[in-house]
Amino acid sequence: GTVIRLQPFGAFVDLGGIDGLIHVSKMSWTRINDPSEVLTEGQSIKVKIERVNREAGKISLSYRDTFENPWDSVAERYPARSRVKGTVTRLTDFGAFIRLEAGIEGLLHVSEIAHRRVHRASDILQQDQQLEVQVLTVDPKAQRISLSLKALESPVDPEGAVEEGQTSRAKTNGGEKSVRTDLRGGTDRKSGGEQFGLKW
């Protein structure tokens, strides 16, 4: 058919006397904001007929289904535990979407960004930032990939200090015991009672 008109919601295609509509979600395996990113008026294209509604006189078309679905072989290209590079495409309160290739995005959940608590992905990441992550799980049917950034980083800082809130193992005569590294205190400082005449 021939693209005869572009609209924000899709493109109308002349199939030879009758028109069909390609919805914007059926234009590309990659997320797009406007049909003009993929098609132009007057362009001759091959489409797939998805549905015909005779009563309403409407034909639904797909342009992206004339190309290979990148999710069909995603498990082979991005197996679990593999290291991949991607670009931050969207930031949300619950995480960030990372584009691994055209049509393939994975979710970096906020809990997988760093070993310390992160409230918002935007506190650590930026739009269009490129980074390396590890693949946690792949679900081709649901078209979902879970990613992790902290899996590639050590939970201990370069000086050997344990992250705040974690427990370290301390050796004693009786074996080992857990020590809270985020607790502060001890007997090596004044109690404040001296200002009232107290000696403790």
Side-chain angles (χ1 to χ4, degrees), residues 94-145:
F94 57 84
F97 287 92
I98 312 296
R99 184 178 65 244
L100 305 181
E101 64 176 73
I104 300 295
E105 284 189 350
L107 175 62
L108 176 60
H109 193 268
V110 66
S111 63
E112 292 294 335
I113 293 178
H115 289 282
R116 67 179 188 277
R117 183 183 298 276
V118 177
H119 297 286
R120 293 181 301 273
S122 58
D123 293 339
I124 304 295
L125 305 175
Q126 297 179 346
Q127 185 79 16
D128 298 326
Q129 178 181 349
Q130 295 185 351
L131 69 166
E132 187 176 37
V133 292
Q134 184 180 88
V135 177
L136 295 180
T137 60
V138 181
D139 188 342
K141 292 184 178 180
Q143 296 190 355
R144 293 177 181 175
I145 298 179

Side-chain angles (χ1 to χ4, degrees), residues 47-65:
V47 295
K48 176 182 178 181
I49 298 176
E50 288 204 317
R51 187 170 58 256
V52 177
N53 187 332
R54 296 181 181 276
E55 295 180 357
K58 294 181 179 179
I59 300 178
S60 299
L61 307 173
S62 174
Y63 181 56
R64 72 177 189 181
D65 285 324

Side-chain angles (χ1 to χ4, degrees), residues 189-200:
R189 59 180 180 177
K190 296 180 180 180
S191 66
E194 66 278 354
Q195 59 182 318
F196 301 105
L198 302 177
K199 295 183 180 182
W200 48 268

